[in-house]
Amino acid sequence: MSHKLPTHHPNLSHRHRPARYLSFFLLSIPLTFGFLNAAFNWKSATTANLPINAAETLRKCSLLNAEPGPPVDFYNRTQSDRFQPGTPPTLIRNATIWTGRVSGHETIIGDLLLDKGIIKEVGDISQTTIDSYGQQLVVVEAARAWVSPGIVDMHSHLGVDSAPSLNGADDTNSFKGLVLPWLRSLDGLNTHDEAYRLSISGGVTTSVVLPGSADAIGGQAFVIKLRPTVQRTSSSMLLEPPYSLNNSNIEHLSRPRWRQMKYEKARKIKDSQDRYCAKALSNQWRDLGEFPEDLQWEALVDVLRGRVKVHNHCYEATDLDGIVRLSNEFKFPIAAFHHAHEAYLVPDLIKKAYGLTPAVAMFATNARYKREAYRGSEFAPRILADNDIKVVMKSDHPVLNSRHLVYEAQQAHYYGLLDDLALASVTSTPATVIGLDHRIGFIKQGYDADVVIWDSHPLALGAAPKQVYIDGISQIAQPFSVNKLPAFQVTPKTPNFDTEAKLALEYDGLPPLKPDVNDSGVVLFTNVSGIYFRNGPVIQEIFAMDDAHGTVIIDHGHVVCAGDCSDISVAINARHVNLEGGSISPSLVTFGSPLGLEEIAAESSTRDGTVFDPLGGKIPSIIGGDGSIIRAVDGLQFSGRDTLLAYRAGVTQAVVPPSSDGFISGLSTVFSTGAAHKLVPHAVVQDVSALHVAVGDSSVSISTQIAALRRLLLGKGQGELGERFLEVAEGRLPLVIRVQSADVMTSLIKLKKEVENSSGHTIKFTFTGANEAHLLAKEIGEAGIGVILAPSRPFPAVLHASGVTVGLGIEEQWDARNLRFAIGWAALEANGLLTKADALALGSINLEALLGLETENSDLVATRGGDIFEFEGKVVAIISTSQGKVDLF
């Protein structure tokens, strides 16, 4: 058979491994000479002194300090222990194969043969070998597409924090004690988690499923393959299923947060075991008694023996220092520090941990959500790698959607992590750290047949799998991929951030973020390849040159020439900025997060706080009771780190409503992200832009919320609240409704028509969040309702094609800086339905229209090396007409 993409084989499983295979990290090994010698001596001993279980005891003692690893004959295997009979052999032809070998530098142009659940051959495969498979061989023409090992997510809560998010399926944390080493994520693994398939579609083949971090010691983690199995059991998903999970000679992966852990109990058990085994192995059986063990503490005993891959949830330098000291005091190794937002500030400390240097598993740009993460830096991966510390990018699913884990590697690469290390950070490096690099994380003969065929270079923005194989079984039933330009088939050329990385260290993680230069004079931008300007309600590309010889002249924040400016005399004494083939485009607007109302989400003293829910209790009369409404402009905070990082990424305005956990949020405001404080001219762009409500978030019923909304829209409200809803009913103020369910959206569409028939006005509805809006694209378009997708994936092309005005939003403020990449990603996935100008509109003029901005944002962004939505581009200037200046970075 020959296919462009392989046949899908659903619901295939593996057979259980022979009993000789032990657990997760402690694989079977030959019995030690000490055991053999003891067994020989035992035969000559007086049988009356021997306990009935002496042989098992000797075996247990011989393994107490055994070094974990695969069986000695593992690489002689011809079939995977996970092989599913009936899986056809597959030949992937003419591929560009990143193997993960030679420190990530090996790339092979050739073929890949998968059979019996393992990789049989890589590179030049003889025709004789191919012919030997006959007609059963599935042949896939890769056409030089990139092929990589399957993505390995080393920090996930798949299966225990399941999708859909329901209370009955939440098994992430236990709140029954601080120290719970006996808890196991496997025991709560939900085999019906919808996220398995979604993660596979992003190339993830293996995940380390960790308990939550609510406890000092959260319990034991397990490694799973994500494909469905015939058995439909959690045990059948394990990468190397143990024959026993509760025995002190079995090693478990534990994921503690060790700061408050007490070791003395485990150390006493370990010492008593050592004394016991010393006697047993020397044939001193008299009065020896039972082997000392305690199921409750067995995992911690194995930690002290160095037989557990310890994953430590740890953020700050002070906590890193504490666990490093404990690791040396109790002599146990640490596999990895997770999150570890300050690890890049103390690389020498990390290297002082007992045994091998721990890896660091981190986010690319997700930081500042609590105090411990406040000094997180986008340059941490490159700094750690420069100090020879292994870097792993993780999802912490569902904190980040593990379907897009490769995006974390892409961002790390953008900010300076070398390409080989970036791709390794989600493949070979995590496989090595968890001790499974003998079978996953590499494309190598004899390894598990877990591979991904990509539609572009894996580090290119928007890279997506054409097909995913787990154990040689194709996983995507109906593959779809976008045809991408040749530029996306090579490693992206990324900007130089050397100066910024040095400043991150110099300022202990808090480098200055204000512009380096404010120039209110003449600025000459040269070597410009593209210029996009606003023309009323649309964005137009007014200039494009392949040779990047364009020029743009700015005088006091205003464009005086764009294109060929050789005859403009004002440029004689101008400041020159070489964009090196970059572009100038409209700046962006962010919406959806509390940006501007909070600095650290987990610290109430840095937040404006949440408003009262009128459906959840009585509103205090001092603020107007049921007729009151809150304005976000009164709680604005300026110069926050996320706000300034957004500004440096080309986001010059933000729209934010009051924070709410209930039905009515209040009136949003528009502010400048680059302003120092509220009294600066144009810091507050618009006091009030829209009225915001949420249907589905309140503690009362959805039908009650819609009934309240109907009453308010039909003029039954009181005080200022009633007046504002009257503005909505008359079409003078947009109503922005946070809603996710398509069923609720249908009720709101009908409500809009009902109110319009009653008032005689066309009212402005905008759905935000809107995860199911694509299911009603036609109906939403016909109703004249706009949509702001937050998060930005699902992609907006379906809505756009139905005539819906679409914007892209975010959920957390740290993500505002990434809006430029979100719009670029959306354009790529639209498969030609969105032009670059359309993509820019998703993050600018469309949001302005949907959120009630009365004055267009005239700011411009200059990027060096590429467009604003490309990994090649770096924002180097903000051109502000309102401020009459150019901010240079």
Side-chain angles (χ1 to χ4, degrees):
M1 296 183 291
S2 181
H3 302 275
K4 288 186 177 179
L5 285 174
T7 304
H8 175 63
H9 303 281
N11 292 329
L12 299 181
S13 180
H14 66 278
R15 296 178 297 179
H16 286 292
R17 299 186 300 115
R20 76 169 185 272
Y21 291 101
L22 301 182
S23 84
F24 179 119
F25 279 115
L26 181 59
L27 306 177
S28 72
I29 60 174
L31 297 179
T32 63
F33 287 113
F35 171 43
L36 294 175
N37 182 59
F40 179 80
N41 291 335
W42 157 48
K43 292 181 180 180
S44 61
T46 304
T47 57
N49 296 333
L50 294 176
I52 194 170
N53 62 340
E56 175 60 24
T57 298
L58 289 171
R59 179 180 177 278
K60 185 179 297 186
C61 288
S62 70
L63 291 173
L64 277 185
N65 296 300
E67 183 179 355
V72 292
D73 61 347
F74 183 82
Y75 295 107
N76 296 327
R77 65 177 183 160
T78 58
Q79 176 176 304
S80 172
D81 50 296
R82 294 182 53 84
F83 172 63
Q84 172 60 40
T87 303
T90 299
L91 177 67
I92 302 172
R93 307 203 71 160
N94 193 25
T96 305
I97 306 168
W98 185 87
T99 67
R101 300 173 58 189
V102 194
S103 300
H105 294 293
E106 182 181 66
T107 300
I108 297 173
I109 306 297
D111 303 338
L112 189 60
L113 180 61
L114 314 178
D115 186 28
K116 299 292 191 297
I118 63 176
I119 297 170
K120 289 291 187 177
E121 293 192 37
V122 184
D124 295 326
I125 302 174
S126 72
Q127 192 62 43
T128 301
T129 299
I130 294 172
D131 292 342
S132 68
Y133 284 93
Q135 293 298 311
Q136 65 174 327
L137 184 67
V138 176
V139 180
V140 180
E141 174 54 50
R144 292 293 182 95
W146 283 90
V147 173
S148 78
I151 300 298
V152 179
D153 190 354
M154 203 175 80
H155 185 135
S156 176
H157 302 291
L158 274 170
V160 293
D161 197 343
S162 303
S165 180
L166 301 171
N167 290 336
D170 183 4
D171 204 72
T172 313
N173 286 294
S174 171
F175 300 96
K176 300 301 182 180
L178 284 176
V179 180
L180 303 172
W182 51 87
L183 293 186
R184 304 175 304 189
S185 64
L186 177 65
D187 295 332
L189 195 69
N190 178 11
T191 58
H192 302 296
D193 189 345
E194 297 289 345
Y196 293 135
R197 305 300 299 170
L198 292 172
S199 297
I200 288 171
S201 72
V204 180
T205 59
T206 304
S207 291
V208 180
V209 180
L210 299 159
S213 57
D215 307 311
I217 300 178
Q220 301 166 34
F222 289 81
V223 179
I224 64 170
K225 294 273 191 93
L226 303 193
R227 70 173 176 86
T229 66
V230 169
Q231 293 94 329
R232 298 188 178 95
T233 64
S234 52
S235 294
S236 65
M237 298 178 70
L238 292 176
L239 176 51
E240 292 185 339
Y243 69 80
S244 172
L245 295 176
N246 286 315
N247 195 311
S248 61
N249 69 337
I250 302 299
E251 178 176 349
H252 303 287
L253 171 68
S254 73
R255 190 257 184 177
R257 209 174 71 188
W258 296 61
R259 184 164 27 167
Q260 301 179 53
M261 178 179 170
K262 302 298 184 183
Y263 286 86
E264 193 59 28
K265 177 69 174 178
R267 183 159 62 178
K268 285 181 178 179
I269 295 173
K270 174 183 177 294
D271 290 346
S272 63
Q273 289 177 351
D274 290 342
R275 290 192 297 269
Y276 182 98
C277 286
K279 291 182 178 180
L281 291 170
S282 61
N283 208 21
Q284 299 178 41
W285 294 101
R286 186 178 298 278
D287 300 324
L288 193 55
E290 294 294 324
F291 182 81
E293 57 186 339
D294 187 332
L295 179 62
Q296 184 175 10
W297 301 104
E298 63 168 358
L300 295 189
V301 174
D302 274 354
V303 166
L304 298 182
R305 295 194 182 282
R307 299 178 359 165
V308 172
K309 294 290 185 177
V310 176
H311 293 257
N312 182 235
H313 176 119
C314 202
Y315 282 86
E316 294 183 276
T318 181
D319 299 324
L320 292 164
D321 183 65
I323 195 67
V324 166
R325 284 188 281 105
L326 285 175
S327 77
N328 284 286
E329 179 182 353
F330 290 92
K331 293 181 171 50
F332 64 89
I334 301 166
F337 290 115
H338 289 239
H339 299 306
H341 281 70
E342 292 189 13
Y344 74 102
L345 296 174
V346 288
D348 291 337
L349 170 65
I350 304 299
K351 295 177 182 179
K352 292 179 181 178
Y354 181 81
L356 296 176
T357 299
V360 176
M362 67 187 79
F363 298 126
T365 55
N366 186 350
R368 293 167 295 283
Y369 47 87
K370 58 181 178 178
R371 187 189 66 82
E372 297 96 315
Y374 194 67
R375 295 175 187 268
S377 172
E378 62 271 36
F379 307 113
R382 62 169 287 175
I383 292 171
L384 288 165
D386 288 345
N387 284 274
D388 298 320
I389 294 174
K390 289 184 174 68
V391 172
V392 174
M393 306 312 297
K394 62 171 174 64
S395 74
D396 197 5
H397 180 94
V399 173
L400 299 181
N401 188 343
S402 63
R403 179 182 185 181
H404 306 304
L405 177 55
V406 74
Y407 179 49
E408 294 298 290
Q410 293 166 4
Q411 291 179 87
H413 178 237
Y414 176 75
Y415 288 110
L417 184 64
L418 295 178
D419 60 326
D420 54 301
L421 297 178
L423 193 46
S425 73
V426 291
T427 54
S428 55
T429 302
T432 301
V433 172
I434 63 177
L436 291 169
D437 52 326
H438 59 281
R439 63 183 300 170
I440 63 171
F442 297 83
I443 292 181
K444 184 178 178 181
Q445 186 174 0
Y447 275 57
D448 285 14
D450 300 348
V451 299
V452 182
I453 305 175
W454 298 91
D455 66 358
S456 55
H457 191 286
L459 294 179
L461 180 65
K466 291 183 174 183
Q467 187 55 272
V468 178
Y469 296 87
I470 302 179
D471 301 321
I473 305 169
S474 60
Q475 296 297 306
I476 302 178
Q478 297 178 309
F480 171 80
S481 60
V482 174
N483 293 321
K484 295 182 178 176
L485 296 173
F488 289 91
Q489 305 304 326
V490 298
T491 307
K493 181 182 178 182
T494 56
N496 186 315
F497 287 102
D498 290 349
T499 298
E500 291 87 343
K502 290 178 181 177
L503 288 173
L505 292 174
E506 179 182 343
Y507 285 88
D508 203 22
L510 300 176
L513 297 177
K514 293 294 182 68
D516 300 328
V517 176
N518 306 118
D519 196 323
S520 57
V522 179
V523 180
L524 174 66
F525 292 98
T526 60
N527 291 320
V528 183
S529 65
I531 303 173
Y532 300 85
F533 284 164
R534 302 175 64 121
N535 184 8
V538 297
I539 292 175
Q540 294 180 336
E541 184 178 34
I542 68 165
F543 176 86
M545 293 186 67
D546 293 334
D547 55 6
H549 286 163
T551 302
V552 176
I553 300 176
I554 308 296
D555 187 6
H556 289 84
H558 291 77
V559 177
V560 296
C561 179
D564 182 4
C565 303
S566 56
D567 296 330
I568 304 298
S569 59
V570 71
I572 295 175
N573 297 316
R575 178 190 298 272
H576 286 238
V577 179
N578 183 357
L579 292 189
E580 301 174 12
S583 68
I584 292 180
S585 58
S587 65
L588 305 177
V589 178
T590 184
F591 167 77
S593 77
L595 187 74
L597 290 182
E598 69 178 37
E599 178 70 354
I600 305 174
E603 295 290 338
S604 59
S605 63
T606 72
R607 301 167 48 213
D608 178 52
T610 55
V611 301
F612 292 100
D613 181 6
L615 296 182
K618 183 178 177 60
I619 304 296
S621 59
I622 193 172
I623 60 173
D626 289 342
S628 65
I629 192 165
I630 305 302
R631 303 185 183 198
V633 67
D634 297 327
L636 278 180
Q637 304 172 12
F638 288 82
S639 297
R641 297 198 69 79
D642 284 316
T643 307
L644 292 176
L645 285 167
Y647 186 69
R648 294 177 73 96
V651 179
T652 65
Q653 290 185 1
V655 181
V656 59
S659 298
S660 172
D661 295 328
F663 173 52
I664 294 179
S665 172
L667 299 169
S668 56
T669 188
V670 187
F671 69 97
S672 170
T673 57
H677 54 77
K678 192 182 295 185
L679 301 181
V680 172
H682 308 290
V684 178
V685 178
Q686 190 172 320
D687 282 356
V688 173
S689 62
L691 176 58
H692 295 253
V693 301
V695 178
D697 291 351
S698 180
S699 58
V700 302
S701 72
I702 290 172
S703 53
T704 300
Q705 295 170 57
I706 292 179
L709 196 56
R710 176 182 292 109
R711 185 173 183 276
L712 290 167
L713 287 169
L714 293 176
K716 303 297 178 61
Q718 304 174 9
E720 186 183 359
L721 179 67
E723 294 171 2
R724 292 297 184 177
F725 269 98
L726 179 61
E727 291 181 44
V728 172
E730 294 177 350
R732 295 183 287 122
L733 185 69
L735 181 65
V736 181
I737 308 170
R738 179 167 178 82
V739 56
Q740 305 291 0
S741 165
D743 289 318
V744 178
M745 291 179 200
T746 60
S747 295
L748 293 169
I749 290 171
K750 293 187 66 175
L751 176 61
K752 180 177 186 289
K753 186 175 182 179
E754 177 186 344
V755 175
E756 288 175 337
N757 289 338
S758 174
S759 68
H761 297 281
T762 299
I763 61 179
K764 303 173 185 176
F765 270 20
T766 295
F767 292 158
T768 182
N771 276 305
E772 294 187 351
H774 61 282
L775 301 177
L776 297 171
K778 177 177 177 290
E779 291 79 4
I780 291 172
E782 291 173 347
I785 296 174
V787 172
I788 301 174
L789 296 172
S792 60
R793 293 169 287 278
F795 297 105
V798 173
L799 293 163
H800 177 80
S802 297
V804 179
T805 300
V806 188
L808 298 186
I810 60 173
E811 293 182 301
E812 298 179 76
Q813 59 263 37
W814 60 266
D815 204 21
R817 68 186 306 175
N818 296 322
L819 177 59
R820 52 184 292 226
F821 299 136
I823 62 177
W825 197 341
L828 287 169
E829 290 296 326
N831 203 22
L833 293 177
L834 294 174
T835 66
K836 285 187 176 181
D838 292 333
L840 283 168
L842 296 174
S844 57
I845 60 174
N846 287 8
L847 287 173
E848 295 171 23
L850 295 171
L851 295 168
L853 275 70
E854 298 168 353
T855 303
E856 69 177 36
N857 181 2
S858 59
D859 294 340
L860 297 171
V861 181
T863 53
R864 176 178 289 138
D867 287 336
I868 190 172
F869 32 60
E870 296 176 344
F871 278 145
E872 290 79 2
K874 179 182 182 181
V875 175
V876 294
I878 301 293
I879 302 162
S880 175
T881 301
S882 62
Q883 298 288 334
K885 64 176 183 176
V886 176
D887 284 336
L888 297 166
F889 305 114

